Amino acid sequence: MKMIDGGICAAKGFTASGVHAGIRKNRTKKDLSLIYSEVSASAAAVYTTNLVKGAPLLVTKENLAGGKARAIICNSGNANTCNANGVEIARETCALLAKELNVSEKEIVVASTGVIGQPLDITPIKNAIPELVKELGNHSDAAAEGIMTTDTVKKEVALSFTVGGKECKIGGIAKGSGMIHPNMATMLVFITTDCNISTAMLQKALSTDIENTFNMVSVDGDTSTNDMVTVLANGLAGNAEITEEGEDFAAFMQALNTVTVYLCKKIAGDGEGASKMLECEVFGARDEKTAKITAKSVICSSLVKAAMFGSDANWGRVLCAIGYSGADVDVKKIDVSFRSNKGEVPVCRNGAGIDFSEEIAKEILLENEIIISVNLNSGNAKSVAWGCDLTYEYVKINGDYRT
Amino acid sequence: MKMIDGGICAAKGFTASGVHAGIRKNRTKKDLSLIYSEVSASAAAVYTTNLVKGAPLLVTKENLAGGKARAIICNSGNANTCNANGVEIARETCALLAKELNVSEKEIVVASTGVIGQPLDITPIKNAIPELVKELGNHSDAAAEGIMTTDTVKKEVALSFTVGGKECKIGGIAKGSGMIHPNMATMLVFITTDCNISTAMLQKALSTDIENTFNMVSVDGDTSTNDMVTVLANGLAGNAEITEEGEDFAAFMQALNTVTVYLCKKIAGDGEGASKMLECEVFGARDEKTAKITAKSVICSSLVKAAMFGSDANWGRVLCAIGYSGADVDVKKIDVSFRSNKGEVPVCRNGAGIDFSEEIAKEILLENEIIISVNLNSGNAKSVAWGCDLTYEYVKINGDYRT
């Protein structure tokens, strides 16, 4: 398995494009992206658990009932959510694109990110689709830009791996939570692979993977209405189709996981206003559920997040977050340390503070990737969660809109 | 029922004091408080659900096993939590005070608020206890000051009410969440009344009441290790002892609730760095649980809190927070409006945006007490939760410590 270039166009048969359609007023940033597979691909998706769901998700879910897709279209600038005519607009987008690509509209994945509750005008999309299709090529970067909102960096990754003696490729792009416009709280991830895998196994791989990856990311605890992760697998690598668990499936899972973990860290580190990526690793848990609840509670704590912003080795807040997490842990067994490129400093043993150098702790915590390491000393299960610090900038981005 | 002066000294037989013991270094602020009842009082308490519990809570729980108390002692500046000798120090505090007051040490409620994980030195407490006892008098304000940490206002209330033809009085003081020192995340509430009520009914009243009051307050979603609410009822009002449900118990419950709701609002409005008190009222819910989950999810949303800081009528975030709350609601039936002293503006009907004047909304949201009103249109149950906005100041207080 090795990292390669090409993003979502790395896998055989996939092309992409991104254009400025004018959905975002007074801007030149690309705001409409397309990902296309030259052959029909197995398609799997997971959607936000928020009861308030963006209209594009509902339409995508309908379309993917057949388990196949040819293209993904995504706009930024408007979430097409909480609008009276949202489903209609999403369906019209699919129909227009399907016509231009000469594919079935039931093979289109449609996604939107941006403002909630403001009608999405079909006109700029309609006008831009011909250009969008014409531009299709090795343009993963353009597609990655087209789905960005307040993201400060493009999130793109690709790698090659081997299944049944055949070289396969997998790549992904993502956008994280950015809400400089109201309610842009969307995590969108699009993954493409030329690995040959059945829709059922692809969905199984994705649904299993996200439990330990995207579901363990939290920027601010708010679950978006438009979150979606989609994988298209077009089979062009030529491996024997993966239709059951086994060595090939495991190889695919590993590749998928490498892509998703990479994107998770990128999303976490580029959280709104974030100055640092936080990772909480929990081990020594009695079971995986306990490890997950614990890791997520720490990563979601506003107090822990603010302490990390201040590079403050405030382990008491970590313990406090574990204590209220609902996980059944023995507080008197908990060890905590902070780690970064500058080293590691143990700060708590058996649930009580230990002497440590504030200077060394500070140096470690001034880095921009911090690992909060928690040993529950009660078993062998472990988990990892990702997040970011809480900064002035977060408040500014989310509080100053329209003022 | 009418509001009166006197705080925790309003009820017959209660005196209080607050002194500067020197637990907080380099400060002159009072940091040790005492509340005393001249006769033994029925005592009830509720404690944090955090598995990490402050040592004073453990000792208080032991002491209140008998259901009676004479005094409450509380220090600020150190939470006496996650220390190897915490329980020992809390017990010693009780013993020293009991000796000075000539009461049983099993009749002492002990509480602490401040830094977690730093040993609490008994010396300043020991030295201050004689003065603390000597100062006992009509000094509710001094006691209220002694328990403050980063609270910006004293939280004190009292009222008179009638039970069985007798005038009773009830008063309370509180400190809210303030964490300018690490891990000061404590809500402490001490209530005194001269109403004659059995320990069992007092506990029942308190445990019932907090479900709709203190448990519906959230400043930042972090549940402290040291939260505690205690009520002492010394019976000196001379009413027939309340030993069962009925008219008298209802009158007491109403008075208690008036005190607790007042303190909840004070705590919420004085949340760390808060510029506004937020109240989320949910009605039309199919059941109370749904109403509570919904109200709390809205009040806890970082995005809603930041929007309120920016006086932004961002109803999409309210809908989003309801959607991920876990409450089983019909999104298409939800109405939302914002209200303050300046008026009310409906912003969402049937789960979709409606036209409203941004100017009027802004004027309403610039006030410092905002009500987010949510009608689920699915039944008759309702609930209220209290919180505050998310501000630069919150991040500063919690991020800049030791920097």
Side-chain angles (χ1 to χ4, degrees):
Chain A
M1 199 159 65
K2 72 169 206 281
M3 306 297 275
I4 56 174
D5 290 333
I8 43 167
C9 298
K12 261 181 223 163
F14 284 100
T15 49
S17 60
V19 302
H20 172 70
I23 297 157
R24 302 167 147 240
K25 304 294 177 216
N26 310 321
R27 296 210 179 189
T28 55
K29 192 197 138 310
K30 293 179 172 58
D31 56 11
L32 191 63
S33 295
L34 176 63
I35 304 171
Y36 173 71
S37 172
E38 63 182 52
V39 298
S40 186
S42 296
V46 288
Y47 309 92
T48 182
T49 55
N50 198 316
L51 290 181
V52 182
K53 284 188 174 58
L57 274 64
L58 304 176
V59 173
T60 294
K61 209 167 182 177
E62 280 173 11
N63 289 357
L64 291 191
K68 295 287 178 183
R70 285 293 294 273
I72 299 170
I73 186 166
C74 177
N75 73 277
S76 56
N78 188 312
N80 191 20
T81 298
C82 298
N83 300 322
N85 69 340
V87 166
E88 193 185 311
I89 295 291
R91 285 205 183 114
E92 197 172 344
T93 302
C94 293
L96 289 164
L97 179 64
K99 195 174 168 199
E100 190 73 23
L101 288 172
N102 196 24
V103 302
S104 160
E105 62 188 88
K106 291 290 174 197
E107 290 197 306
I108 308 282
V109 170
V110 58
S112 297
T113 176
V115 189
I116 288 183
Q118 293 186 13
L120 173 61
D121 184 5
I122 193 71
T123 316
I125 296 174
K126 186 175 184 173
N127 292 341
I129 279 179
E131 188 198 348
L132 194 67
V133 170
K134 199 177 139 206
E135 287 289 321
L136 278 172
N138 187 20
H139 303 312
S140 178
D141 57 335
E145 183 188 329
I147 65 172
M148 284 167 72
T149 53
T150 53
D151 301 63
T152 65
V153 293
K154 276 184 235 178
K155 298 164 188 75
E156 199 181 10
V157 64
L159 52 93
S160 70
F161 61 107
T162 307
V163 170
K166 296 282 183 184
E167 187 192 21
C168 298
K169 288 169 182 164
I170 185 167
I173 60 173
K175 80 160 292 299
S177 286
M179 285 151 262
I180 204 162
H181 280 67
N183 311 306
M184 288 192 180
T186 310
M187 182 185 74
L188 290 174
V189 180
F190 304 122
I191 297 169
T192 58
T193 178
D194 48 21
C195 183
N196 191 9
I197 180 169
S198 70
T199 300
M201 292 311 286
L202 186 65
Q203 185 67 50
K204 184 173 190 172
L206 179 62
S207 298
T208 306
D209 185 76
I210 60 145
E211 291 301 327
N212 297 307
T213 57
F214 298 114
N215 280 353
M216 295 304 284
V217 174
S218 179
V219 167
D220 55 14
D222 282 84
T223 305
S224 153
T225 53
N226 285 44
D227 287 346
M228 173 162 60
V229 182
T230 307
V231 191
L232 301 191
N234 68 10
L236 292 180
N239 59 299
E241 190 183 32
I242 301 171
T243 56
E244 56 182 18
E245 292 197 38
E247 202 182 319
D248 290 357
F249 185 67
F252 178 74
M253 281 288 286
Q254 198 191 347
L256 177 66
N257 187 252
T258 307
V259 166
T260 56
V261 167
Y262 179 93
L263 293 174
C264 280
K265 288 187 174 187
K266 284 285 182 196
I267 289 169
D270 195 27
E272 286 187 299
S275 74
K276 295 176 186 184
M277 195 279 286
L278 306 182
E279 180 173 313
C280 179
E281 59 172 31
V282 172
F283 52 102
R286 75 182 60 183
D287 53 43
E288 201 187 337
K289 191 181 160 201
T290 301
K292 279 186 174 175
I293 292 172
T294 303
K296 219 161 169 186
S297 186
V298 171
I299 228 67
C300 288
S301 160
S302 291
L303 289 174
V304 171
K305 288 155 68 81
M308 293 298 101
F309 170 56
S311 301
D312 181 7
N314 208 323
W315 61 270
R317 293 184 183 173
V318 175
L319 230 63
C320 181
I322 297 170
Y324 66 67
S325 66
D328 183 16
V329 300
D330 183 346
V331 176
K332 290 201 186 321
K333 287 186 177 174
I334 300 174
D335 299 338
V336 179
S337 69
F338 295 110
R339 195 165 81 233
S340 76
N341 284 334
K342 295 284 183 185
E344 179 158 11
V345 58
V347 287
C348 165
R349 189 158 297 142
N350 299 325
I354 52 177
D355 281 339
F356 63 89
S357 157
E358 291 282 355
E359 271 170 49
I360 291 172
K362 192 77 169 181
E363 198 189 6
I364 289 167
L365 295 177
L366 281 169
E367 291 295 289
N368 60 15
E369 293 203 359
I370 307 295
I371 294 157
I372 302 166
S373 182
V374 176
N375 189 344
L376 298 176
N377 288 302
S378 300
N380 295 312
K382 59 188 181 179
S383 182
V384 177
W386 299 274
C388 59
D389 56 347
L390 176 61
T391 67
Y392 296 126
E393 199 58 24
Y394 176 87
V395 179
K396 186 172 182 186
I397 291 172
N398 289 298
D400 280 3
Y401 176 75
R402 301 199 283 198
T403 63
Chain B
M1 199 159 62
K2 75 169 204 283
M3 305 298 272
I4 56 174
D5 291 331
I8 44 168
C9 299
K12 261 181 222 162
F14 285 99
T15 49
S17 60
V19 302
H20 172 69
I23 298 158
R24 303 167 146 239
K25 305 294 177 215
N26 310 322
R27 294 209 180 190
T28 54
K29 190 197 140 310
K30 292 179 172 58
D31 56 13
L32 190 63
S33 295
L34 176 63
I35 304 169
Y36 173 71
S37 172
E38 63 182 51
V39 297
S40 187
S42 296
V46 289
Y47 309 92
T48 181
T49 55
N50 198 315
L51 291 182
V52 181
K53 283 188 174 60
L57 274 63
L58 305 175
V59 173
T60 294
K61 210 167 183 179
E62 280 174 12
N63 289 356
L64 291 191
K68 294 288 177 179
R70 286 292 293 275
I72 299 170
I73 185 166
C74 177
N75 71 279
S76 55
N78 187 312
N80 192 19
T81 299
C82 298
N83 300 324
N85 69 341
V87 167
E88 193 185 311
I89 295 290
R91 285 204 185 117
E92 199 174 341
T93 302
C94 292
L96 289 165
L97 179 64
K99 195 174 165 197
E100 191 72 23
L101 288 173
N102 197 24
V103 302
S104 160
E105 61 188 87
K106 292 292 173 195
E107 288 197 308
I108 308 284
V109 169
V110 58
S112 297
T113 176
V115 189
I116 287 183
Q118 292 186 13
L120 174 60
D121 183 4
I122 192 73
T123 316
I125 296 173
K126 187 176 182 172
N127 292 342
I129 280 179
E131 188 198 347
L132 195 65
V133 171
K134 201 177 138 201
E135 287 289 321
L136 278 172
N138 188 20
H139 304 311
S140 178
D141 57 336
E145 184 189 327
I147 64 172
M148 285 168 72
T149 55
T150 52
D151 301 62
T152 65
V153 293
K154 274 184 239 177
K155 300 165 185 75
E156 200 182 8
V157 63
L159 52 93
S160 70
F161 60 108
T162 308
V163 170
K166 297 281 181 183
E167 187 192 22
C168 298
K169 288 170 183 162
I170 186 167
I173 58 173
K175 79 161 291 299
S177 288
M179 285 150 262
I180 203 162
H181 280 67
N183 310 304
M184 286 193 184
T186 311
M187 181 185 76
L188 290 175
V189 179
F190 304 122
I191 297 169
T192 57
T193 179
D194 48 21
C195 182
N196 191 12
I197 180 168
S198 70
T199 300
M201 293 311 287
L202 186 64
Q203 185 67 50
K204 184 173 190 172
L206 179 62
S207 297
T208 307
D209 183 75
I210 59 146
E211 291 302 327
N212 296 308
T213 57
F214 298 113
N215 280 354
M216 296 304 284
V217 174
S218 180
V219 166
D220 54 16
D222 282 84
T223 306
S224 154
T225 54
N226 285 44
D227 287 347
M228 173 162 63
V229 182
T230 308
V231 191
L232 301 191
N234 68 12
L236 292 181
N239 60 299
E241 190 184 31
I242 301 171
T243 56
E244 58 183 18
E245 293 196 39
E247 201 182 319
D248 290 357
F249 184 67
F252 178 75
M253 282 287 287
Q254 198 192 346
L256 177 66
N257 186 252
T258 306
V259 165
T260 57
V261 167
Y262 178 92
L263 293 175
C264 281
K265 288 186 174 187
K266 283 286 179 193
I267 289 170
D270 196 27
E272 288 188 296
S275 73
K276 296 175 187 185
M277 196 280 286
L278 306 182
E279 180 173 313
C280 179
E281 59 172 31
V282 172
F283 53 100
R286 74 181 61 182
D287 53 42
E288 201 187 338
K289 191 181 160 201
T290 301
K292 279 186 174 177
I293 292 173
T294 304
K296 221 165 167 180
S297 186
V298 171
I299 227 68
C300 288
S301 161
S302 290
L303 290 174
V304 171
K305 288 156 67 82
M308 292 299 101
F309 171 58
S311 301
D312 180 8
N314 209 324
W315 60 270
R317 295 185 182 173
V318 175
L319 228 63
C320 182
I322 297 170
Y324 67 68
S325 67
D328 183 17
V329 300
D330 183 346
V331 175
K332 292 201 186 317
K333 287 186 176 173
I334 300 174
D335 299 340
V336 179
S337 69
F338 295 110
R339 194 165 82 232
S340 75
N341 285 333
K342 295 285 184 184
E344 179 159 11
V345 58
V347 286
C348 165
R349 188 158 299 143
N350 300 324
I354 51 177
D355 281 337
F356 62 91
S357 157
E358 289 282 354
E359 269 171 55
I360 290 172
K362 192 75 165 183
E363 197 189 6
I364 287 169
L365 294 177
L366 280 170
E367 291 295 289
N368 59 13
E369 294 203 358
I370 307 294
I371 294 157
I372 302 166
S373 182
V374 175
N375 189 346
L376 298 177
N377 288 302
S378 300
N380 295 311
K382 59 188 181 177
S383 182
V384 177
W386 299 274
C388 59
D389 56 347
L390 176 60
T391 67
Y392 297 127
E393 199 59 22
Y394 176 85
V395 179
K396 186 171 181 187
I397 291 173
N398 289 298
D400 280 3
Y401 177 74
R402 301 199 284 198
T403 63

